[in-house]
Amino acid sequence: MNNEKQPHLTEFDAAFAAEMEAADMENIVPADEVLWVLHAHINENGTAQRLPVQCQPFTIGRHPENTVSISNGTVSGHHAEILVAGDQLLIRDRDSTNGTLLNGRRLYTVEALRDNDILHFGNVMFTVQKDSAVTQIRTVASDAASEAIAQVQFSTLMSRPGVEPYFQPIVRLGSEERVGFEVLSRSQFIGLETPAKMFKVAAQRTSEAALSRICRLEGMRATNVLDPSMDFYLNTHPAELNDQDLIYSLRDLRQRYPDLSIMLEVHESGVTSVDYLRCLRQELNDLSIGLAYDDFGAGQARLTELIEVPPDVLKFDVKLVQGLSTATDARRSTVAGLIRIVKDLDVIPLAEGIETREEAEICQELGFELAQGYLFGKGEPVKKWIPEEKTTPEKLVL
């Protein structure tokens, strides 16, 4: 164990006590007002793994005495501990062998959790959800009805499938030539209209990986009416990273679409190690599939992965891009420096979320090569993007 990086357990105890004191325990929100929930990704039988954090402390580990006992060899006997302090949820690692990861980053101190955070205890993944139970009775009834409808519709969504691909253009800055599309997903099922709603229900059924595979497959099926010279950017879900089924699904896609240019997008929050990225990169190279890191700068920018396993494309998060036209010289200089590092690694920098002409101009000036955002087109059904030569009736069959 690296003692220089891993604080001693007593330091954790002191830090935890300080966090609890800072949270003002006299003002703790009653349990019936705020409820934190962990969604577990432990088994594959499709059953809901919803774990309310309702006791203090809430412990996680392989030993049976833990609040949540996980029978997995990568999880330590007493792996991590969670406490509710006011409306905050605090977590610490308990000197575990394989560590606790928060959004892909190993914990070395006490940290507060947020809604939709992703936790890894060893190789076992959980997502964090913050619920508010204090609502009007009418609202609760309505939400319950919507939730019930969504649950019923979800099985149909997966079996039909009922995912509708949407495509957002990616352009080359300067010429604004369209060079690719990010493949997105929507649905017309009540309660499942957006990706957030679909994956929320999928999380309750531990079906995120299966839904993600369906979204990619349905998206590629719709590309038959699009310009085959485009690059098609396909998304992944953190739940399917570190899973061999992801590789199997990509092999199937490549077999179905041997001539199309595919770019796989990976978000840093789902990556548990550089070694995994190396293995994934080799598999993608063998399949002639490109690699893109998504939302760079949205959280902690993990330069280690960028340097050790450079992608083909690095997508800078909208938070780094929007406002650059009116930003200070210092902020522009920082972004320009990051772009230079990226280019030195032979990685193509892409600016996400460009909405104004001024933002496009400053992004080009700073060195971005590719861009996407509402200025160039929002995500829309495939019919919006069909080239003119393919608009004859007989070629519109999807």
Side-chain angles (χ1 to χ4, degrees):
M1 185 173 294
N2 189 335
N3 292 326
E4 293 182 356
K5 290 186 177 180
Q6 184 86 5
H8 192 270
L9 189 58
T10 56
E11 296 179 26
F12 277 126
D13 295 330
F16 218 39
E19 287 282 356
M20 295 297 290
E21 183 177 353
D24 187 2
M25 296 301 291
E26 293 182 358
N27 294 321
I28 288 181
V29 179
D32 61 347
E33 293 187 14
V34 173
L35 177 64
W36 289 93
V37 177
L38 299 183
H39 289 286
H41 305 255
I42 298 173
N43 57 39
E44 299 179 355
N45 62 11
T47 59
Q49 295 286 301
R50 187 176 184 273
L51 306 171
V53 182
Q54 293 181 312
C55 62
Q56 300 270 44
F58 188 93
T59 60
I60 295 142
R62 200 171 66 250
H63 196 281
E65 71 182 20
N66 287 285
T67 311
V68 178
S69 178
I70 304 173
S71 179
N72 183 291
T74 65
V75 178
S76 295
H78 300 279
H79 199 106
E81 181 178 6
I82 292 174
L83 277 175
V84 179
D87 62 352
Q88 285 190 309
L89 194 66
L90 307 177
I91 186 169
R92 68 164 178 174
D93 183 82
R94 298 180 68 184
D95 207 22
S96 66
T97 301
N98 293 308
T100 299
L101 276 64
L102 172 58
N103 297 325
R105 174 174 52 84
R106 186 162 184 164
L107 295 181
Y108 293 113
T109 186
V110 178
E111 296 208 23
L113 296 173
R114 298 176 299 175
D115 195 22
N116 296 320
D117 274 345
I118 296 172
L119 292 169
H120 281 90
F121 305 107
N123 290 338
V124 180
M125 191 180 99
F126 288 73
T127 51
V128 180
Q129 182 179 342
K130 182 179 181 181
D131 289 339
S132 176
V134 180
T135 53
Q136 296 294 327
I137 295 177
R138 188 179 306 167
T139 302
V140 172
S142 176
D143 290 346
S146 297
E147 177 72 13
I149 293 172
Q151 291 286 348
V152 171
Q153 300 262 50
F154 185 80
S155 297
T156 306
L157 174 80
M158 296 288 284
S159 62
R160 190 174 292 180
V163 171
E164 181 181 3
Y166 273 49
F167 294 80
Q168 183 173 31
I170 294 171
V171 305
R172 192 176 306 282
L173 280 173
S175 67
E176 298 190 9
E177 170 195 6
R178 193 180 301 148
V179 296
F181 290 97
E182 179 176 356
V183 183
L184 308 169
S185 297
R186 301 290 187 272
S187 161
Q188 295 185 1
F189 286 98
I190 297 173
L192 301 170
E193 297 87 352
T194 66
K197 292 179 179 180
M198 285 189 279
F199 279 97
K200 178 181 178 181
V201 177
Q204 295 167 358
R205 298 177 171 222
T206 61
S207 299
E208 302 102 308
L211 176 58
S212 186
R213 291 193 293 270
I214 288 174
C215 289
R216 287 194 296 271
L217 180 57
E218 293 304 299
M220 290 304 294
R221 281 176 174 166
T223 62
N224 68 313
V225 293
L226 296 176
D227 183 348
S229 68
M230 296 288 104
D231 295 327
F232 295 102
Y233 288 65
L234 305 179
N235 286 286
T236 56
H237 188 278
E240 60 184 331
L241 299 179
N242 306 293
D243 187 340
Q244 190 64 24
D245 284 346
L246 172 62
I247 303 303
Y248 296 151
S249 71
L250 294 174
R251 290 173 183 170
D252 177 65
L253 277 183
R254 177 48 80 204
Q255 186 174 10
R256 291 170 183 259
Y257 306 98
D259 301 322
L260 293 183
S261 177
I262 300 173
M263 189 77 65
L264 190 73
E265 294 195 24
V266 173
H267 194 283
E268 64 177 12
S269 66
V271 176
T272 57
S273 71
V274 173
D275 289 340
Y276 170 75
L277 274 179
R278 288 196 186 98
C279 294
L280 176 62
R281 180 79 220 214
Q282 184 58 56
E283 290 281 359
L284 294 177
N285 288 343
D286 293 344
L287 294 170
S288 297
I289 294 176
L291 176 64
Y293 293 166
D294 192 22
D295 294 338
F296 180 76
Q300 177 175 328
R302 295 166 62 188
L303 295 177
T304 301
E305 286 84 346
L306 180 62
I307 294 171
E308 293 293 328
V309 190
D312 297 291
V313 176
L314 184 67
K315 303 182 77 171
F316 281 65
D317 186 70
V318 61
K319 293 178 183 177
L320 284 178
V321 173
Q322 287 188 343
L324 280 175
S325 58
T326 57
T328 63
D329 291 341
R331 181 185 168 194
R332 291 186 184 183
S333 178
T334 299
V335 174
L338 288 172
I339 294 172
R340 285 194 295 272
I341 293 173
V342 168
K343 288 188 170 182
D344 286 345
L345 295 169
D346 292 325
V347 177
I348 298 172
L350 183 154
E352 291 188 295
I354 292 183
E355 296 183 353
T356 68
R357 182 62 56 191
E358 291 75 19
E359 287 175 345
E361 291 173 355
I362 191 62
C363 282
Q364 183 184 0
E365 181 181 321
L366 293 177
F368 282 106
E369 297 180 25
L370 302 179
Q372 69 182 108
Y374 280 8
L375 178 64
F376 311 110
K378 63 181 181 179
E380 298 199 58
V382 68
K383 289 187 288 186
K384 163 72 177 180
W385 308 111
I386 298 176
E388 291 185 3
E389 64 271 19
K390 290 193 175 185
T391 55
T392 55
E394 63 272 20
K395 293 188 178 182
L396 284 177
V397 178
L398 302 183

